Amino acid sequence: MVLRDDRSAPFFDAARRAELVVRHCTGCGELAAPRVRACPTCSATALDWAPVSGAGTLVSWTVLRDRAGGVTAVGGIVELAEGPWLRVRLAADPETLEAGLAVAVAFEHQDDGEPVPVFVPRERAEEGVDGRR
Amino acid sequence: MTAAPAIVGLGITEVGKVYDRTARDFAADAVRRACADAGISTGELDGLLVLPGLSDDLDLGLAEDLGVRDLKLLNEIRGDGTSACTAITFACLAIGSGMAGMVACVFADAPLRRDRRAGAAYTPQEPPAGFDGLIADAGLAGGHAQYALATRRHMAAFGTTSEQLGAIAVAQRAWARGNPLAQQRDPMTLADHQNSRLIADPLRLLDCCLVSNGGIAVIVASASRARALAQPPVHVLGHAQSHPIHPEGRGSGFGLVSGAARSGPAALRMAGATIEDVGVAELYDCFTFAVLLTLEDYGFCAKGEGGPFVEEGRLLPGAGRLAVNTGGGQLSGYYLWGMTPVAEAVIQARGAGGDRQADDHELVMVSGNGGVLHHHSTLVLGA
């Protein structure tokens, strides 16, 4: 379960609308990852939020395993089509993962927490992770 | 004869699964051992730099524990894995400016407890909220997962393989067999590495460093005072840091290049040396991949060629002119953060390595790496 805090509230408000947002620098216009506190391009701190397509490609990934060898998590770095990176959960067969794989966001709705952006291989994205996008 | 300040004392406590001692106790023990090694009394110290690890009991109170008074320099240095090289750097600068004349730098930690597994010490506890919560939900909060992401990116870009990482682990285990302090000294084959369980694919158990209790201190003094002391001086000929802080976005160098790429050449320039002059490299090795990337970034091989550079036993003892992680490093020796490579560098530079002494030890390069390849510090040491 993922809970919001003050800084992430706008991100999760958008996620509840099934919209993925990133930071937009009002100084230089560049987009940046949602978690930044200053623009990595120009160091400005006047950042607002901008929606992105939710399409991206896989940069790197890891499969976490417990002591018995069972998969406990599949996570990776996704480069959004607009440029920023997200470190996110991947809903995919680990064997199919490769650098450059086309992926798209789907929001996984949890009972008590915030909707979690999960990335799925793009050919599967139309189906959604849990039947909704 | 160089005028550069020198490391004149080295103190290493019992290390490894040594229970029921606090980090602060290890730290005081290490400083006293280092002073004895240098042939000075603790009262001759006028500077103390304290390097805490995970344990929260090690702080400026160490000065009182040691019974040293009227210090001219007393600070904590916190720089993750860079803190050892960094503290020695600041000690040199303080000595060069006349601020202090005899400075102890000490790291100690006691994360191992009888009642929990070693890995638990470095596992994040309750998941945080917000963006960090998303990272934790994805399984990516731990150091092993983040280094796995870096490693996988290098593999995808350059074709680096798990077997090549295994060659690093195997070579360091072979070196560890010559180090009486090493925690892991049983022989290791590449098959052992490949059969060790996946922790965070592509990283296997034998790609990961140990967890250790213990403390290490070094004493830094001016070149002129160093000549009169008990040990052959190990001069700090060059030092540098680099903190690239790769942006999280297109074009990022994460996993492809670290701060070593700038820190290494800068430290060598200060020493008036080139990479070809270096006979021993003691490289921070929280994971095998950190060794491979640092070898590339320092320029021992070309970018992307770290895999071929280490494979086929090229890092085994006696295999080549360059000796790497001669005490077994953090993978097979012991994990006392940046002091693991520093201590072995001092031993090698003195020619005191015994069974594991490298032939060409005139110039020794030491790395410290912090964060997830975010921070880097380098020392170039010479007799």
Side-chain angles (χ1 to χ4, degrees):
Chain A
M1 184 176 68
V2 178
L3 300 175
R4 67 172 57 199
D5 55 14
D6 288 350
R7 212 159 68 84
S8 61
F11 179 86
F12 287 117
D13 284 343
R16 290 181 181 192
R17 303 188 302 268
E19 190 174 74
L20 184 66
V21 295
V22 298
R23 299 319 297 263
H24 167 258
C25 177
T26 60
C28 72
E30 291 290 323
L31 298 177
R35 62 177 301 124
V36 305
R37 293 170 190 267
C39 174
T41 304
C42 75
S43 305
T45 54
L47 307 175
D48 56 15
W49 295 90
V52 289
S53 65
T57 52
L58 191 59
V59 172
S60 189
W61 69 96
T62 181
V63 182
L64 291 138
R65 292 176 187 272
D66 60 23
R67 294 175 79 80
V71 174
T72 57
V74 184
I77 297 172
V78 169
E79 181 170 306
L80 297 172
E82 294 82 359
W85 282 9
L86 297 178
R87 292 177 183 240
V88 288
R89 189 140 55 86
L90 304 171
D93 176 356
E95 298 301 317
T96 66
L97 298 176
E98 58 181 350
L101 180 72
V103 293
V105 74
F107 289 96
E108 185 181 278
H109 294 267
Q110 301 181 343
D111 285 345
D112 300 321
E114 299 293 339
V116 172
V118 174
F119 279 74
V120 297
R122 207 172 292 167
E123 57 269 29
R124 270 191 55 212
E126 286 72 27
E127 304 158 27
V129 177
D130 56 356
R132 32 193 306 201
R133 287 198 61 194
Chain B
M1 185 166 290
T2 175
I7 297 170
V8 298
L10 171 67
I12 308 177
T13 68
E14 285 183 288
V15 294
K17 292 178 177 173
V18 185
Y19 298 111
D20 307 322
R21 292 182 65 180
T22 63
R24 197 152 146 172
D25 172 42
F26 280 123
D29 185 5
V31 172
R32 291 194 180 98
R33 287 173 188 249
C35 288
D37 181 63
I40 62 167
S41 71
T42 49
E44 289 178 70
L45 295 174
D46 62 3
L48 176 63
L49 295 175
V50 181
L51 285 53
L54 295 182
S55 309
D56 59 9
D57 65 323
L58 181 56
D59 56 24
L60 302 186
L62 179 66
E64 193 177 351
D65 293 4
L66 287 166
V68 292
R69 299 177 55 209
D70 297 323
L71 293 175
K72 298 170 182 166
L73 171 69
L74 175 62
N75 280 111
E76 288 183 20
I77 302 282
R78 289 182 183 267
D80 296 346
T82 66
S83 56
C85 290
T86 296
I88 292 166
T89 298
F90 287 154
C92 290
L93 295 174
I95 289 163
S97 74
M99 181 183 182
M102 188 75 75
V103 181
C105 308
V106 59
F107 173 89
D109 207 0
L112 281 177
R113 299 198 316 233
R114 289 182 202 277
D115 58 353
R116 67 179 182 192
R117 288 189 291 110
Y122 282 86
T123 302
Q125 300 303 310
E126 287 302 300
F131 297 122
D132 288 343
L134 286 176
I135 301 262
D137 176 73
L140 301 177
H144 57 312
Q146 297 181 69
Y147 273 90
L149 291 175
T151 306
R152 177 63 75 189
R153 187 159 196 237
H154 195 278
M155 288 177 161
F158 300 118
T160 308
T161 66
S162 172
E163 288 81 359
Q164 290 165 340
L165 298 178
I168 293 170
V170 168
Q172 291 193 199
R173 179 62 61 84
W175 279 109
R177 292 172 63 74
N179 181 1
L181 287 177
Q183 280 175 244
Q184 300 287 346
R185 300 172 64 194
D186 292 339
M188 185 203 296
T189 66
L190 191 56
D192 292 333
H193 173 271
Q194 289 294 298
N195 291 331
S196 68
R197 68 186 176 92
L198 283 163
I199 301 279
D201 190 1
L203 297 177
R204 298 177 175 279
L205 182 66
L206 292 179
D207 288 306
C208 305
C209 68
L210 302 160
V211 180
S212 311
N213 290 353
I216 295 180
V218 296
I219 312 290
V220 186
S222 68
S224 58
R225 291 187 72 177
R227 279 192 284 277
L229 297 176
Q231 298 290 344
V234 175
H235 294 279
V236 182
L237 303 173
H239 52 72
Q241 295 184 16
S242 176
H243 307 266
I245 323 284
H246 298 299
E248 289 275 286
R250 183 170 292 144
S252 168
F254 174 76
L256 306 180
V257 62
S258 75
R262 288 189 174 176
S263 179
L268 284 169
R269 265 195 307 278
M270 180 177 168
T274 68
I275 198 73
E276 288 79 21
D277 300 325
V278 177
V280 179
E282 304 295 348
L283 306 179
Y284 197 96
D285 55 331
C286 46
F287 297 93
T288 47
F289 175 64
V291 177
L292 188 145
L293 193 65
T294 306
L295 286 167
E296 289 182 1
D297 285 343
Y298 276 179
F300 288 111
C301 62
K303 178 48 65 185
E305 292 178 8
F309 185 78
V310 303
E311 68 187 357
E312 291 171 10
R314 292 194 182 94
L315 297 188
L316 286 168
R321 193 185 72 87
L322 178 69
V324 178
N325 289 355
T326 49
Q330 301 167 336
L331 297 173
S332 284
Y334 50 81
Y335 182 57
L336 293 178
W337 295 21
M339 277 297 183
T340 296
V342 163
E344 182 64 17
V346 172
I347 291 167
Q348 289 288 331
R350 287 176 174 177
D355 289 346
R356 66 185 192 279
Q357 180 60 49
D359 294 335
D360 178 0
H361 56 91
E362 219 168 288
L363 214 61
V364 182
M365 210 164 168
V366 193
S367 79
N369 156 53
V372 184
L373 306 165
H374 294 105
H375 310 295
H376 197 93
S377 57
T378 307
L379 297 179
V380 176
L381 305 179

